Amino acid sequence: MARQERFTSANSYFRSADGHRQAAQLLYPHVQQQSDRVSSVFLAFYNVLGFAIELYLKAFLANRGFDSDKLSQRQYGHHLKVLYDAAVSSGLYNLPGYPQVHPSALARVVEIIGPRFESYAYRYINDLDDVYSYIETMDIIWVVLDDLQQRVRQSGITI
């Protein structure tokens, strides 16, 4: 079967990102960081958080002229680091955001969850490799997402 062509607008990526962000906010109070065993809510939270970041970055890139079909290809796919680097190169930090949020904050979140998100480890548990990294200070995640959302909106997104 031939691959079906698809088009996702920057606005639609943004709406989807916002939905995943809201889902993460619903899960957040139930996340338990356990040293001996990773909770299932932890996995769901980090998976949804990864999708929110991925989709905000794709919204920004789509608004900068990246084709949605290209953004769904393996080169970009669920690769948060690749999407982040492309967004930074395309001027993400040239847009107004929250002055108290340093660009390194989002880079750090991408560094922590990116490899596990990319390998589907938050969706499909690998019993042979179940060591997960945690975001050191979870309180920062909401201001980082606020900053990212603000910058993406400043690129011309309308919803």
Side-chain angles (χ1 to χ4, degrees):
M1 177 181 233
R3 183 177 156 191
Q4 184 179 6
E5 201 171 319
R6 158 172 50 128
F7 173 76
T8 304
S9 69
N11 294 342
S12 291
Y13 278 125
F14 189 87
R15 282 183 34 227
S16 187
D18 193 53
H20 282 83
R21 177 209 174 102
Q22 290 178 43
Q25 288 173 312
L26 291 171
L27 288 169
Y28 180 68
H30 306 285
V31 174
Q32 297 177 358
Q33 295 183 1
Q34 301 171 350
S35 58
D36 58 335
R37 190 168 153 238
V38 176
S39 77
S40 56
V41 177
F42 162 85
L43 294 166
F45 172 78
Y46 274 64
N47 192 50
V48 171
L49 177 62
F51 274 118
I53 293 168
E54 172 189 336
L55 293 164
Y56 279 130
L57 293 171
K58 285 183 176 181
F60 176 78
L61 292 169
N63 209 36
R64 290 289 200 236
F66 282 65
D67 181 84
S68 65
D69 201 40
K70 180 179 181 178
L71 290 171
S72 68
Q73 292 175 357
R74 184 172 295 276
Q75 176 189 357
Y76 294 99
H78 303 297
H79 301 278
L80 297 183
K81 176 76 167 104
V82 171
L83 291 165
Y84 173 80
D85 288 346
V88 170
S89 294
S90 297
L92 180 67
Y93 289 111
N94 296 336
L95 298 168
Y98 287 39
Q100 73 272 27
V101 180
H102 193 273
S104 64
L106 178 57
R108 180 70 179 136
V109 172
V110 166
E111 178 186 334
I112 291 169
I113 71 170
R116 290 289 186 179
F117 180 74
E118 175 183 318
S119 71
Y120 305 105
Y122 297 123
R123 284 187 262 177
Y124 310 109
I125 299 169
N126 180 351
D127 293 328
L128 300 176
D129 183 16
D130 65 351
V131 177
Y132 294 86
S133 297
Y134 297 87
I135 297 170
E136 297 95 349
T137 308
M138 285 305 298
D139 295 337
I140 195 171
I141 195 59
W142 307 118
V143 73
V144 167
L145 285 176
D146 287 345
D147 180 70
L148 178 58
Q149 181 186 59
Q150 175 69 16
R151 290 175 191 281
V152 174
R153 270 202 176 142
Q154 292 294 322
S155 75
I157 298 289
T158 57
I159 51 170

